[in-house]
Structure formats: C-alpha cells, structure tokens
Amino acid sequence: MRPTDYMALYGKRFLLVLLLSTLAVVLISELGIIIQNESAARAPETVELVIPAGTAAKVDAGEEAPGIPDELSFVLGDTLLVRNQDEVDHTLGPLYIPAGTSAMLTLEEPENFALTCSFKPSRYLGLDVKPPTTWETRLTALAFGLPPTAALFFVYSLVVYPIGPKDETAAPTKTP
C-alpha cells in the first residue's frame, strides 16, 4: 500500500470515529440531564411559596407545616414569591412577610443558600440557585467532551481493527 492509501484509510476511520464520538457524547450528556430531572433547563420564572394558616402554631409544637419543602431549587433570575396566609408575621432571610401579605425575592446569583425562616421547625430553608442550562452550555459540554472521547475511540479502533500492510506472500489457509 502506498502512504496516500494509508492516509485515506486513517481519514475515513477518523471521520467515522468522530461521528460515533459525537453521538456518544450528546447521548450521555442529554441522558444525564434527563436522569437528574434538570430543573435548570428552563427560563427564569416566578415561584410561589405559600405559608398556610396555622403554620406558627405547628412550628411552636415542633411540627412541619404542610406544603413547605426543606429545600427549593431555582434558576438564576427566578423570583421567589412568598404568600403568608398565617395569622402571624413571618421572616425568610431578608424578607419580612406580615400576616395576610406577600413578599418577593429575586435570586440573582448562583449559590446554595440556607436562609433563616420562622415557618420551619429547623428555623432555616435551603435555596439552591443554579445557572440555567442553555444550548450554549450544552455546546460547551460537547466541546469539552468530544476531543478526548474521539481520541480514545480512535486509538481503541486501531487496537481492535489495525490498519497495516497485508502479508500478500502468505499462502491462503484452506478450510476443511
């Protein structure tokens, strides 16, 4: 075989491996988002948290108020709207929410917060603020994942199916 023939074989193999690598990286990346039930794959919105009537009495008794989770997940830019339907004034971090009113908090930085609050027996509420998952972040993942995956697939393809000179002088073997 001539050197140009080898280059053509290597080039075709590399293009095939590049295609397979791209499919593998996209599949793994998107499956990861689906499996994790990625709540950050959306545009910012207003998320409502309702403090039901009788919450202060339940908290004083050491009980959880119904419908108030221990942790909340948000996308950067979300607005948390807290409605106080209780007869008692409550607080959540920097928010003061008088009885029968509401207050809003815009979440402008990605971070895990543990805010003090008066409507949980533990006296804190966890807020997880994530940057949104966009097409740009997905393409960035592809850009970081594709080169090493393609290189490994190419090397493995050479180990499994080597490209090299065929020994044309060897006698063909007969099968019985």
Side-chain angles (χ1 to χ4, degrees):
M1 273 183 130
R2 296 181 316 212
T4 55
D5 294 338
Y6 284 118
M7 293 303 289
L9 286 173
Y10 282 119
K12 287 177 185 177
R13 179 171 294 193
F14 183 74
L15 288 177
L16 177 63
V17 165
L18 189 62
L19 175 66
L20 292 174
S21 300
T22 303
L23 290 174
V25 169
V26 167
L27 180 68
I28 290 170
S29 175
E30 293 302 311
L31 278 175
I33 290 172
I34 291 168
I35 289 171
Q36 294 178 15
N37 192 16
E38 184 62 55
S39 60
R42 62 171 177 80
E45 59 187 30
T46 299
V47 178
E48 186 175 7
L49 176 66
V50 177
I51 304 169
T55 297
K58 286 188 183 253
V59 169
D60 289 343
E63 300 174 19
E64 289 284 337
I68 300 177
D70 290 330
E71 298 268 336
L72 294 170
S73 292
F74 298 93
V75 171
L76 189 65
D78 274 353
T79 300
L80 173 61
L81 173 64
V82 183
R83 293 193 188 278
N84 185 1
Q85 297 177 346
D86 201 4
E87 305 81 31
V88 177
D89 299 346
H90 286 284
T91 59
L92 173 62
L95 299 179
Y96 174 72
I97 313 119
T101 65
S102 61
M104 294 180 5
L105 176 65
T106 302
L107 304 163
E108 297 175 339
E109 58 183 89
E111 195 171 326
N112 290 327
F113 296 99
L115 299 177
T116 60
C117 73
S118 60
F119 50 88
K120 298 284 293 174
S122 64
R123 297 295 184 199
Y124 84 93
L125 180 68
L127 303 181
D128 185 20
V129 183
K130 302 175 187 177
T133 303
T134 62
W135 283 108
E136 289 84 9
T137 56
R138 287 179 166 152
L139 290 175
T140 301
L142 182 65
F144 281 114
L146 186 57
T149 304
L152 286 173
F153 279 13
F154 186 72
V155 169
Y156 290 151
S157 78
L158 292 175
V159 171
V160 175
Y161 298 108
I163 297 175
K166 295 182 181 177
D167 189 7
E168 297 174 5
T169 59
T173 57
K174 294 182 183 178
T175 55

